[in-house]
Amino acid sequence: MNPSMTLADALRQEILTGRLPPGTVLSQTELASRFGVSRIPVRDALQQLAAQRLVLVLPGKGARVVELTQDELAEIYDLRVLLECDLLRRAIEKAGAQDHAEAEYALRKSSLEAGRPGWVDGDWLFHATLYAPAGRMKQLSMVQELRRTCAMHAARYEALADRTPAWITQHEGIFQAFRKGRTDDAVRRLQRHIEAARAFLLGHLDR
């Protein structure tokens, strides 16, 4: 574990990168032994992850990484379309030159991280920067939670890397529409981007 990371951070990273896939049971005793700590910090870390909807706490045992059905994941993507498209529309109405510059920086950074282990953080940086001008932090927090759930279910599939070029191209198109104030175009592109991610994930779950 990186010395600068907390136990909760380390477990969160393993969940979001697929090392601890959905459905995995996390034993307090085993985690304490693995990380060389007592069960108290393990319990606290699992509680933090439970608050982020990444695990379900199992009383007296530990926790289980959240695992959703196809229908539940489809519902999450429907919610993402509603919430993220609304945020983008509101953000474009308020965005100025500084917001455009920050979004471009986030785009370049996320493109460099695409296909690498840190792709989840890079992807979120880009989308969060796009939505930030809307000034709706509670809605943004809801989106972040939904996106984490999608990421942890997608991380197990190596075929995800094959989507990297298309993902980068879609981000570029969304950003250009955002920068030029083409609201309807940007929202359509974002909706297609989210729906493509849904089709990929549900298609693999069905196999």
Side-chain angles (χ1 to χ4, degrees):
M1 181 172 70
N2 187 317
S4 65
M5 298 178 69
T6 67
L7 180 54
D9 290 336
L11 291 173
R12 183 186 303 106
Q13 184 179 63
E14 292 188 2
I15 291 170
L16 294 180
T17 57
R19 183 173 176 182
L20 294 173
T24 301
V25 174
L26 305 176
S27 163
Q28 286 189 19
T29 302
E30 291 176 3
L31 290 175
S33 175
R34 176 184 163 197
F35 288 100
V37 298
S38 71
R39 293 178 62 178
I40 294 176
V42 171
R43 182 190 61 200
D44 292 344
L46 294 178
Q47 290 290 348
Q48 290 181 49
L49 297 176
Q52 296 171 7
R53 306 289 196 276
L54 294 178
V55 305
L56 294 173
V57 172
L58 305 175
K61 298 181 180 179
R64 184 175 64 249
V65 180
V66 168
E67 184 172 29
L68 301 182
T69 66
Q70 275 201 334
D71 287 344
E72 289 169 331
L73 282 168
E75 181 180 359
I76 284 177
Y77 276 103
D78 288 342
L79 291 171
R80 281 187 54 190
V81 168
L82 292 172
L83 294 172
E84 294 187 49
C85 288
D86 178 68
L87 280 172
L88 182 59
R89 186 176 296 278
R90 292 173 184 273
I92 292 174
E93 294 174 356
K94 297 182 178 180
Q98 183 62 34
D99 298 306
H100 297 156
E102 291 177 0
E104 183 170 16
Y105 170 79
L107 171 67
R108 302 310 168 206
K109 191 172 188 300
S110 69
S111 295
L112 289 173
E113 295 179 357
R116 299 179 181 179
W119 73 270
V120 173
D121 292 335
D123 186 46
W124 173 240
L125 173 67
F126 172 65
H127 284 275
T129 305
L130 278 184
Y131 307 152
R136 295 171 68 88
M137 300 310 296
K138 289 185 178 180
Q139 187 171 343
L140 190 63
S141 179
M142 292 170 64
V143 167
Q144 184 179 23
E145 180 181 310
L146 294 173
R147 291 176 64 89
R148 279 199 193 109
T149 302
C150 295
M152 62 189 281
H153 281 78
R156 72 178 84 179
Y157 302 111
E158 294 181 1
L160 186 66
D162 297 337
R163 297 190 62 248
T164 298
W167 174 51
I168 292 174
T169 299
Q170 290 164 14
H171 277 191
E172 182 72 36
I174 295 168
F175 166 71
Q176 291 298 338
F178 169 81
R179 182 174 62 83
K180 296 174 182 178
R182 300 199 307 259
T183 303
D184 290 341
D185 182 30
V187 169
R188 279 195 298 269
R189 288 175 180 272
L190 175 60
Q191 181 170 346
R192 288 199 296 267
H193 179 59
I194 297 172
E195 289 175 345
R198 173 172 57 191
F200 168 85
L201 179 54
L202 296 186
H204 279 73
L205 285 176
D206 192 41
R207 294 177 184 178

